[in-house]
Amino acid sequence: MIQRLLKTLVGVATIAAFAGSVLAQDSKVADELAKYREALADGNPADLLEVKGEGLWSEKRGPKQASLEQCDLGLGPGKLEGAYAQLPKYFKDTGKVMDVESRLVHCMVTLQGFKQEQVTRQWFSKPGQDSDIEALVTFIGAKSNGKPINVPASHPEEAKMAKMGEYIFYRRSGPQDFSCAICHGQEGKRIRLQDLGNLTTKDGAGTAMKTWPSYRVSQGAVWTMQRRLIDCMRQARWPEPNYLADSIIALETYLQKNATGTVMETPGIKR
Amino acid sequence: MKLKFALFFALSAAFGASAQADKPVDAPGGKFAKDAEQMFRSSFRTDNSKYWMARLDQDETMKTCGLYRDNPPRKLGEKLEKLNAATIRYPVEGKLIGDWKEGEKLAAVGTGGHIGFIQPDPAGKLRGGNCYACHQLAKQEVAYGTIGPSLQHFGKIRGNSEEIIKYAYDKIYNSNAFTACTNMPRFGLHSWLTPEQITHIVAFLIDPESPVNKD
Amino acid sequence: MNNQRRTVLKSGSGAALLGMLAAAGIITPGMALADWNKAAFDAKSMADTLKALGAGSPADSKDVQVTGPDIAENGAVVPVGVASSLPNISMVAILIEKNPNALAATFVLPEGTEANVQTRVKMGQTSNIYALVKSDGKFFMATKEIKVTLGGCGG
Amino acid sequence: MGNPMKIRAANKDGVTEVKVLVSHEMETGQRKDAAGAIVPAWFITELVAKHGDKVVLSSEFGPSVSKNPYLAFKFKGGAKGEKITVSWKDNKGDSRSDEATIG
C-alpha cells in the first residue's frame, strides 16, 4: 500500500518536472493557436447559414404552406430571443423533454405538415447537400447570442433527464474503454492541441456549450449539438444513436444544466 | 484531486477503516441509473449490427469505473487491477521490443474502428494507438495532448532493462493492471492492437534511436 | 471577442441584406473577368508555377510579408495574407510549396488598392507559403513556414 | 446561383476595407466520396470587386482556396453610402453577384 502511494507520488513529481521543461515551447504553440483562432473569428461561414435559416423560418413551406413563425420553442409561439439558451426543457403538449432540434422538427411536422422522416432525412449537411435543419438551428441559436444559458432542470422530468445524462456521461464501454468523462472530466487537459474542459463544472461546460452551433473548419460545416454528441459516440467507437434520441437529449440536459449562467457566443467557429 | 482521493482511500484502508461499500453514495444517475441504462441502450439505430451493438456491453471493470466516477475505493481498485493483470498475453516469439519506426507510425494514427453510418472507417483501415492524443512523445511533434503524462525521453530516463520493457508492454496491453479506471484504453485486452504492434510502440518508447529518446 | 464580432455583423447586416436584394442577376457576371490562368493553376512545382506566371526567379524581399499563424489547427482552413511596402504593386499571388498545385490565388490590384490582401487556403501538410508580388514590373518574393497539425480525437 | 455572399465594407480615414465571405463548396477534385469515387473539381475561378463602376480587385482562385472563401482587402477612396459589388464565377459556369453599401 505504502509502496503504491510512493509510486504515485514519484510519478507526479516526474510529471511536474517535465511540465516545466516544455512550458516555453508550449506557450509559443498556444500563442500561435490563439492567432489562428482569432484570424478565423472575423468571417465565420456560419453567418451565411444563419441568413439562410432566417429565410427558411419565415418561408411558407410544407403541405400546410405555413411558416415556422408560430413555433413555440419554450417561450411562447414565435418567441425566439433567448429560446435556444433555455433548452432542453419539458413541454406539456408532447409530455417530453425536448431539445432545440426535436422541438424544431416537432414544429415542422405539426405546423407545416411535413412527415418526420422527410425533414430529418438530411439532418446534417454533406458537401453539395445543404441541410435545412442545420440552417434553422444556426438561426435559432444566433437569437440566443449574448443570453445566459438557463437550464435549471427544475421540472421533475427535466431533473430526471439531467440525472440520466450524468449516468451516460460516466458510462464506459467499447474497444477503447471510453466514457465522456475520461476526456471531459478533468481540469486543464487537452487532446492533441484542443482544450477539453471539465464538463462537470460550470466553467468547463459553459465554455463548451456557449459556442454551439459552431462552424467546424475541419468539416466545412456548421454542427448542431445533436451532431456534436452523435459524433462523440462515433469517436468512442460505439454504434450510431438515432437522431433526436433521448440519450442525446439527456446528455444535453446534463451539460446545459452544468453550463447554466454562461453567456452564449454563437454561432462559434472552431477546428 | 485524483491524488487526494487515492490518498484518502489508501489511508483509510491502511487504518482498517474500510471504505468499501457495495455502492457509492453518489453513483451517476442516482435512482435513475437503471432507467438511464435502458434508455441509453434503446437510443441506437435499429440497423446497427449485433456485432456493433455488442460494443455497448460492459465488463466488470467498466461497470465499476462508471459507478465510482473512475475513482473506485482502493480495495475494489486492487481487485480490478489483479483481474486485469491476469489478461495480459505476450507475442508468440516472446520478444517484447520491436521496431520503433513501426511504433512511431502507430503512435500518430488516430483512426480505425469507427462504426455507424455517418463516417465509418473503411474495412481494413489501420487502427492506431493514437498515443499523441494524450501523451507528449517525440520532441518534433508539437500537437500532443496532456490527458496522460509526458513520455518524452521515456527510455532515456528509465533505461532499457527487461523490467522497464515488460512494464511498458504490460501497461499498453492492459493499463488497468496498474491503475484501475485509468483513462488509458486497454489496447491488448480489446485486441485493438496486436501483441506485435504493442512491441513496436514499446520500441518507440524505449529504443535509444527512437525520436522519443534521441532529440 | 466573439460578442464584438457579432456586433460588427449586426451593424453590417443591413448591407448584407441589400446585397441579397441585389443578388438576383441584376449585375451580369463575366464583365471585367479576365481569363483564368490555367497554366499557372495546373502547374505542380514552384518553379513551373513561377514560370507560368511570368515571374521567372524572383528576388527575396524584406519588404514583402506573408502573414498568418505559425501553426494551423486544421489544414482545411489556414488564414494567410500578403502585405508589402514596395511601390506600384500591380499583382499579388499566394503559393503553397507542398500542395499538389502550388498556386492558390492571384490578385490584380488596380491603382489605389493597397498591397494588403487576406484570404484562407487549404494546406495538405506543413509547408512553406510564398507571397509573390509584382512591383514596378519586377517580381519579389517572401516566405513563411506554416505547420499544419493533426487535431482532436484523431479521426 | 449559389447562396448570397456576406459583404462588409467600411471606410475609415479615406481607406475602404472590404471583407467578403462567399458560400461555395470549393471541391479540389482530389477528394473521394464514401464509395471511393473522385468528387469532381468545383471551385470559384474568378472573383471581382468593384467600387461603383471601378474595379478595385480582380482575383483568380485555384481549388486550394478554402471552402466558403474569405477575402479582405483595402482601397483608397470610397465614401459612406456608396456601393461595392462583388461577382464570382466558378469552373462549372455558375456565377453570382452581390452588393453592399459602404458603412
Side-chain angles (χ1 to χ4, degrees):
Chain A
M1 192 66 61
I2 302 283
Q3 205 181 6
R4 172 166 199 98
L5 191 64
L6 278 175
K7 213 159 87 184
T8 317
L9 287 172
V10 170
V12 170
T14 318
I15 296 160
F18 270 115
S21 71
V22 297
L23 221 64
Q25 189 196 359
D26 260 12
S27 78
K28 189 174 176 291
V29 169
D31 286 352
E32 290 302 321
L33 270 191
K35 230 161 109 183
Y36 173 87
R37 288 166 189 164
E38 200 175 319
L40 293 188
D42 187 30
N44 182 350
D47 295 344
L48 299 166
L49 209 62
E50 182 188 332
V51 173
K52 195 184 164 195
E54 186 171 14
L56 285 170
W57 181 260
S58 53
E59 191 187 326
K60 288 187 170 61
R61 302 197 313 147
K64 293 189 184 170
Q65 278 301 295
S67 78
L68 287 165
E69 286 160 322
Q70 288 306 304
C71 179
D72 180 359
L73 291 167
L75 297 176
K79 294 230 159 60
L80 275 174
E81 299 280 334
Y84 184 102
Q86 47 88 57
L87 288 168
K89 75 185 283 179
Y90 176 77
F91 285 86
K92 255 190 196 156
D93 57 0
T94 57
K96 284 167 86 171
V97 175
M98 301 171 92
D99 68 348
V100 65
E101 289 169 74
S102 52
R103 192 62 190 175
L104 171 65
V105 167
H106 170 79
C107 286
M108 292 169 101
V109 170
T110 55
L111 296 176
Q112 298 183 308
F114 284 115
K115 288 207 164 62
Q116 173 146 350
E117 309 83 75
Q118 204 178 340
V119 282
T120 56
R121 192 167 297 140
Q122 195 73 32
W123 67 270
F124 63 94
S125 65
K126 292 171 190 165
Q129 283 177 285
D130 289 352
S131 160
D132 290 349
I133 286 182
E134 232 169 57
L136 282 161
V137 174
T138 306
F139 165 65
I140 297 166
K143 288 280 182 191
S144 281
N145 184 50
K147 300 278 194 302
I149 294 170
N150 184 25
V151 181
S154 42
H155 187 283
E157 289 299 323
E158 293 162 359
K160 183 180 175 184
M161 272 306 236
K163 235 17 208 168
M164 296 208 282
E166 180 195 54
Y167 174 84
I168 297 167
F169 188 82
Y170 286 98
R171 188 191 187 282
R172 297 181 79 152
S173 66
Q176 298 256 277
D177 296 307
F178 284 159
S179 69
C180 307
I182 65 155
C183 288
H184 296 287
Q186 302 150 273
E187 300 293 334
K189 303 289 183 185
R190 54 173 220 228
I191 189 159
R192 288 279 187 173
L193 289 173
Q194 284 68 47
D195 296 327
L196 289 162
N198 182 350
L199 301 186
T200 68
T201 66
K202 185 194 162 190
D203 270 5
T207 306
M209 298 303 280
K210 70 182 178 185
T211 56
W212 296 92
S214 211
Y215 185 81
R216 295 207 53 204
V217 299
S218 61
Q219 313 293 322
V222 169
W223 275 23
T224 65
M225 192 38 67
Q226 285 270 339
R227 179 87 172 92
R228 173 62 277 172
L229 292 174
I230 287 173
D231 194 68
C232 287
M233 298 205 179
R234 184 184 73 90
Q235 294 290 10
R237 270 70 176 185
W238 294 343
E240 191 174 310
N242 285 309
Y243 177 54
L244 310 181
D246 278 340
S247 62
I248 304 294
I249 297 172
L251 274 171
E252 286 176 49
T253 311
Y254 171 66
L255 296 173
Q256 286 282 79
K257 182 177 182 243
N258 291 349
T260 287
T262 311
V263 175
M264 297 274 295
E265 293 176 17
T266 179
I269 183 164
K270 51 185 79 202
R271 187 201 75 87
Chain B
M1 195 65 195
K2 266 201 161 158
L3 181 65
K4 243 192 203 162
F5 268 109
L7 260 165
F8 169 73
F9 285 120
L11 289 177
S12 55
F15 287 109
S18 171
Q20 195 179 6
D22 283 328
K23 262 191 186 164
V25 274
D26 63 340
K31 61 179 175 182
F32 302 116
K34 240 185 199 157
D35 288 349
E37 176 66 21
Q38 204 170 19
M39 178 194 69
F40 178 73
R41 290 273 188 163
S42 60
S43 279
F44 292 86
R45 285 173 57 151
T46 49
D47 49 354
N48 285 299
S49 73
K50 267 189 189 167
Y51 165 72
W52 287 357
M53 289 300 285
R55 290 191 179 186
L56 299 175
D57 296 344
Q58 295 177 288
D59 67 6
E60 192 182 339
T61 303
M62 292 164 170
K63 269 188 207 154
T64 311
C65 295
L67 200 58
Y68 288 93
R69 298 172 196 244
D70 299 323
N71 276 309
R74 203 50 252 155
K75 265 199 174 162
L76 255 184
E78 276 170 15
K79 189 184 147 201
L80 292 179
E81 284 156 15
K82 265 189 204 140
L83 210 71
N84 280 287
T87 68
I88 300 175
R89 300 285 175 270
Y90 298 94
V92 194
E93 306 271 314
K95 204 173 157 233
L96 299 188
I97 187 159
D99 177 355
W100 68 261
K101 283 181 187 152
E102 287 302 311
E104 184 179 32
K105 280 182 219 157
L106 289 165
V109 172
T111 52
H114 293 100
I115 54 176
F117 308 91
I118 300 179
Q119 278 174 278
D121 282 319
K125 177 101 178 174
L126 179 68
R127 294 198 299 206
N130 206 15
C131 311
Y132 281 109
C134 302
H135 296 284
Q136 183 182 28
L137 293 147
K139 193 184 171 191
Q140 76 266 19
E141 179 55 273
V142 296
Y144 59 87
T146 59
I147 299 169
S150 170
L151 302 176
Q152 200 177 73
H153 298 161
F154 185 92
K156 209 172 179 175
I157 292 165
R158 294 171 179 80
N160 56 357
S161 66
E162 250 173 65
E163 286 98 317
I164 286 296
I165 289 169
K166 183 172 180 299
Y167 166 73
Y169 181 94
D170 288 356
K171 177 84 182 182
I172 299 167
Y173 193 101
N174 192 332
S175 56
N176 279 253
F178 300 89
T179 317
C181 305
T182 168
N183 295 324
M184 184 167 161
R186 295 172 289 176
F187 291 100
L189 176 78
H190 293 295
S191 302
W192 185 267
L193 298 171
T194 64
E196 283 67 28
Q197 285 176 317
I198 295 175
T199 66
H200 298 325
I201 297 176
V202 169
F204 181 51
L205 288 170
I206 289 174
D207 197 309
E209 288 305 304
S210 154
V212 167
N213 300 312
K214 197 146 193 187
D215 302 321
Chain C
M1 185 183 68
N2 200 280
N3 274 325
Q4 212 171 5
R5 182 187 69 76
R6 299 293 310 168
T7 317
V8 173
L9 171 61
K10 288 249 160 68
S11 60
S13 71
L17 194 70
L18 253 179
M20 252 171 63
L21 293 175
I26 294 161
I27 301 131
T28 44
M31 46 179 201
L33 293 184
D35 283 334
W36 191 64
N37 191 341
K38 192 174 185 315
F41 281 103
D42 281 353
K44 298 216 178 330
S45 69
M46 282 287 300
D48 289 351
T49 310
L50 290 172
K51 209 165 129 192
L53 288 169
S57 17
D60 288 342
S61 170
K62 277 186 188 139
D63 300 320
V64 180
Q65 282 97 37
V66 188
T67 58
D70 292 355
I71 292 175
E73 217 174 350
N74 189 268
V77 181
V78 183
V80 289
V82 178
S84 174
S85 54
L86 291 171
N88 302 319
I89 291 183
S90 57
M91 196 276 279
V92 165
I94 297 169
L95 292 84
I96 303 155
E97 189 175 20
K98 289 195 180 160
N99 271 8
N101 304 102
L103 186 59
T106 63
F107 304 93
V108 173
L109 314 178
E111 209 186 320
T113 299
E114 294 184 6
N116 185 346
V117 182
Q118 279 136 49
T119 187
R120 294 170 183 170
V121 297
K122 297 170 198 153
M123 292 176 69
Q125 57 183 307
T126 297
S127 170
N128 283 325
I129 303 252
Y130 289 88
L132 175 75
V133 307
K134 190 178 183 182
S135 159
D136 277 334
K138 277 188 244 157
F139 286 93
F140 298 92
M141 206 155 70
T143 184
K144 171 192 177 73
E145 187 192 56
I146 296 186
K147 215 180 255 280
V148 173
T149 60
L150 283 175
C153 316
Chain D
M1 278 304 296
N3 290 321
M5 292 176 236
K6 187 178 133 191
I7 305 165
R8 291 172 288 166
N11 186 282
K12 200 183 160 194
D13 304 328
V15 174
T16 300
E17 181 170 26
V18 183
K19 294 176 180 175
V20 188
L21 199 52
V22 188
S23 176
H24 202 284
E25 243 2 276
M26 300 300 285
E27 274 293 349
T28 58
Q30 297 179 19
R31 194 176 62 86
K32 285 180 184 165
D33 66 13
I38 295 240
V39 181
W42 177 29
F43 59 95
I44 291 175
T45 50
E46 291 154 49
L47 183 146
V48 171
K50 285 182 165 190
H51 166 225
D53 288 333
K54 183 184 181 290
V55 172
V56 283
L57 186 82
S58 135
S59 42
E60 295 184 12
F61 290 175
S64 60
V65 169
S66 298
K67 178 174 178 174
N68 297 321
Y70 172 82
L71 191 63
F73 67 97
K74 293 172 180 171
F75 68 89
K76 286 189 189 74
K80 282 191 175 45
E82 291 177 350
K83 294 228 181 321
I84 296 290
T85 312
V86 179
S87 319
W88 56 254
K89 66 179 188 186
D90 68 22
N91 68 325
K92 286 187 181 173
D94 198 2
S95 62
R96 185 177 176 96
S97 291
D98 290 284
E99 61 177 59
T101 306
I102 300 173

